[in-house]
């Protein structure tokens, strides 16, 4: 074992063995997952909040910090992400700085006036994965990786492909054949990743990627990679900052492989520990009913870990055996959180409402809004609560589901807005306009 680098180390969740921060392994010798630990930041509380707030200074202004810290909504929080990397070594697009928006129509549908949407689809490749990938590729480069790889339901692979291109590293991605939304597959090809369509589901892809990475010596960038989670923590840090460090009552997010749920738990733990906030919001992790082993496990008091064969229209979270189960359990317990599942019909209706508000998101993202509505209806979220629902991916990620919904006829979905084909005549146009303006 090498001596740990000052600043951070990687520690096994199961046996507590620690590894150097630059070590490129993503699992302990005992098989346990690794977590990153940082030394306490040099300042805490109000001073740390001020440091993070000051980095929002526009670059080029007098006294502006180095570029990555100023431009990126991930690296602004570097003390809690990867403190000991030189600014010029950071692989950043940049990413983060995503909007936190209120939309009356969505709030009304969900039944909670204080609903805000944190739109991670505004990241450079259209999903929250970019926040983790900037850190993973920075780690890959400083550790001297020869190539990077991941298994994915589509967004991780799109993000890895883009960041690998930026870092100048070859990328290999494994996705379930026929199980990836069109926009995501197109991105992975466009950014130049070697793209393998695996005849199996996501869980098969991840197993193969883990075995292959070890055997082939490529750096694995799935969310079991502890640096990915360090980056994803900044979704929570950034939304807290946008709220003036006044935490909401609830943060609601979609849950699949449970990396993000784990990262959110770790972020809230760190925010409380270092005095950024004095109350911790409750986490609500929302799964699709056909892919809900974590919700089932929650209902049994987390007495057992479940695995299922997953099926849902929300392909991003079509995952039956989530890799970060144990960490996510800790996140839910530490935040007095909960786990629920919503049906595909609820997901599609929530998506149609978010889309029609002019915001738009991919199906998996809408699970958070559907979850907020369910929790409001059953009285768990109270009407006056402040709730942030995280939209994890962009509306254009999955045009196939979108068009199926709006063109669907049998039965016609409740919020369908089908296209109309017309003759190229003024009379035809008039007939349509009468319908619109009536
Ligand atoms: N929302 C979207 C849009 C996703 O792409 C994912 C995961 C999640 C939610 C769930 O996050 O897995 O951390 O619980 N997508 C992964 C991928 C699995 O390969 O792109 P999680």
């Amino acid at each position: 074992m090498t001596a740990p680098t000052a600043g951070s180390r990687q520690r096994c969740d199961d046996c507590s063995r620690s590894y150097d921060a630059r070590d490129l392994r993503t699992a302990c010798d005992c098989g346990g997952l690794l977590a990153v630990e940082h030394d306490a930041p040099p300042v805490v509380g109000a001073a740390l909040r001020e440091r993070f707030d000051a980095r929002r200074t526009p670059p080029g202004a007098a006294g502006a910090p180095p570029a990555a810290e100023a431009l990126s909504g991930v690296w602004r929080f570097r003390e809690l992400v990867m403190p000991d990397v030189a600014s010029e070594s950071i692989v950043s697009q940049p990413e983060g700085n995503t909007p936190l928006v209120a939309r009356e129509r969505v709030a009304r549908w969900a039944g909670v006036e204080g609903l805000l949407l944190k739109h991670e689809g505004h990241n450079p490749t259209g999903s929250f994965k970019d926040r983790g990938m900037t850190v993973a590729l920075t780690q890959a480069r400083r550790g001297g990786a020869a190539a990077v790889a991941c298994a994915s339901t589509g967004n991780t692979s799109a993000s890895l492909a883009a960041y690998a291109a930026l870092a100048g590293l070859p990328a290999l991605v494994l996705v379930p054949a026929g199980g990836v939304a069109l926009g995501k597959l197109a991105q992975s090809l466009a950014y130049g990743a070697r793209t393998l369509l695996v005849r199996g589901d996501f869980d098969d892809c991840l197993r193969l990627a883990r075995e292959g990475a070890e055997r082939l010596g490529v750096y694995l960038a799935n969310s079991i990679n502890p640096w990915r989670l360090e980056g994803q923590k900044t979704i929570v840090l950034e939304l807290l900052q946008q709220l003036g460090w006044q935490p909401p009552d609830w943060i609601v997010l979609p849950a699949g492989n449970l990396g993000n749920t784990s990262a959110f738990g770790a972020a809230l733990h760190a925010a409380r520990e270092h005095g950024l906030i004095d109350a911790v919001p409750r986490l609500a992790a929302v799964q699709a009913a056909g892919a809900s082993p974590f919700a089932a496990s929650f209902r049994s008091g987390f007495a057992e870990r479940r695995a299922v064969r997953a099926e849902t229209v929300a392909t991003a979270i079509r995952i039956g055996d989530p890799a970060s189960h144990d960490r996510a359990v800790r996140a839910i317990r530490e935040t007095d959180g909960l786990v629920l599942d919503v049906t595909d019909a609820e997901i599609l209706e929530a998506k149609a409402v978010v889309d029609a508000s002019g915001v738009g998101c991919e199906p998996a993202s809408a699970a958070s809004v559907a979850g907020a509505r369910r929790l409001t209806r059953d009285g768990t979220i109270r009407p006056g609560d402040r709730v942030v629902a995280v939209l994890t991916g962009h509306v254009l990620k999955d045009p196939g589901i979108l068009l199926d919904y709006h063109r669907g006829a049998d039965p016609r979905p409740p919020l369908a807005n089908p296209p109309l084909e017309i003759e190229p005549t003024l009379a035809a146009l008039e007939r349509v306009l009468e319908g619109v303006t009536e």
Side-chain angles (χ1 to χ4, degrees):
M1 206 188 315
T2 44
T5 309
S8 315
R9 66 214 62 79
Q10 307 183 76
R11 191 179 297 283
C12 175
D13 273 358
D14 293 350
C15 75
S16 296
R17 182 171 174 180
S18 91
Y19 296 91
D20 185 89
R22 283 171 174 72
D23 198 317
L24 290 183
R25 66 178 60 238
T26 48
C28 180
D29 285 345
C30 81
L33 296 183
L34 298 177
V36 175
E37 282 177 4
H38 305 297
D39 293 337
V43 292
V44 295
L48 189 56
R49 286 195 296 265
E50 276 163 28
R51 182 180 285 212
F52 292 155
D53 292 348
R55 290 191 182 133
R56 291 202 289 192
T57 316
E69 288 82 343
L71 293 172
S72 165
V74 171
W75 295 98
R76 183 187 313 138
F77 305 102
R78 59 175 297 159
E79 284 80 357
L80 307 182
V81 171
M82 183 185 266
D84 58 351
V85 65
S87 292
E88 55 280 8
S89 306
I90 290 172
V91 179
S92 171
Q93 296 267 13
E95 50 291 309
N97 294 314
T98 59
L100 182 65
V101 298
R103 285 295 180 272
E104 203 195 326
R105 182 168 180 176
V106 183
R108 210 179 326 119
W109 184 81
V112 56
E113 209 180 303
L115 179 70
L116 294 173
L117 307 170
K118 175 70 171 158
H119 206 327
E120 288 296 302
H122 285 243
N123 273 292
T125 76
S127 84
F128 72 99
K129 305 289 181 177
D130 295 340
R131 291 189 184 258
M133 220 47 90
T134 177
V135 187
L137 266 292
T138 299
Q139 169 74 354
R141 219 165 53 176
R142 76 172 181 170
V148 288
C150 75
S152 182
T153 55
N155 279 324
T156 299
S157 47
S159 183
L160 178 70
Y163 278 83
L166 185 63
L169 287 174
L172 180 70
V173 310
L174 283 73
V175 296
V180 178
L182 211 58
K184 306 175 188 184
L185 182 59
Q187 282 180 294
S188 156
L189 302 176
Y191 299 134
R194 192 89 188 96
T195 303
L196 306 182
L197 307 177
V198 178
R199 295 188 195 108
D201 59 14
F202 169 80
D203 301 293
D204 294 320
C205 292
L206 183 55
R207 182 183 38 76
L208 189 58
R210 288 175 87 159
E211 288 167 10
E214 204 172 308
R215 188 82 61 83
L216 306 172
V218 296
Y219 185 49
L220 191 62
N222 274 99
S223 60
I224 56 167
N225 179 318
W227 295 101
R228 281 265 319 271
L229 300 193
E230 291 308 289
Q232 288 175 207
K233 283 180 357 193
T234 66
I235 303 170
V236 166
L237 298 175
E238 191 176 271
L239 76 84
L240 292 173
Q241 185 176 43
Q242 286 165 315
L243 293 171
W245 304 103
Q246 299 296 316
D249 299 296
W250 291 91
I251 299 177
V252 189
L253 79 162
N257 213 22
L258 302 180
N260 223 19
T261 305
S262 307
F264 279 33
L268 290 171
H269 185 98
R272 179 70 192 261
E273 187 183 12
H274 303 314
L276 294 173
I277 52 172
D278 21 283
V280 173
R282 298 179 70 183
L283 284 182
V286 189
Q287 297 208 289
S292 58
F294 192 49
S297 173
F298 173 76
R299 285 192 286 269
S300 75
F302 291 131
E304 59 191 61
R305 181 174 174 163
R306 305 271 175 92
V308 301
R309 186 151 280 283
E311 195 43 73
T312 164
V313 290
T315 53
I317 50 175
R318 193 185 278 166
I319 295 170
D321 188 13
S324 293
H325 172 92
D326 294 348
R327 292 175 171 176
V329 169
R330 210 176 316 137
I332 296 299
R333 285 197 169 131
E334 273 194 18
T335 61
D336 189 23
L338 48 83
V339 190
L340 68 157
D341 53 11
V342 292
T343 64
D344 280 0
E346 287 173 284
I347 289 175
L348 290 176
E349 190 176 333
K351 175 177 153 48
V353 172
V354 173
D355 289 356
S357 78
V359 170
C361 67
E362 69 163 288
S365 309
S368 61
V369 173
R373 170 150 113 152
R374 182 78 83 71
L375 292 172
T376 303
R377 288 195 159 182
D378 75 12
T380 309
I381 292 180
R382 284 160 308 181
D385 282 352
R386 294 165 72 230
V387 180
V388 175
V390 181
L391 301 179
T392 44
H394 197 275
V395 66
L396 288 176
K397 287 282 189 174
D398 195 343
I401 291 286
L402 206 158
L403 292 172
D404 285 352
Y405 181 88
H406 289 289
R407 286 174 172 161
D410 195 20
R412 184 168 166 171
L415 298 172
N417 175 30
L420 288 177
E421 195 169 317
I422 61 163
E423 293 304 323
T425 64
L426 198 54
L429 193 57
E430 256 168 13
R431 266 198 302 281
V432 175
L433 285 180
E434 273 162 23
V436 171
T437 52
E438 246 164 26

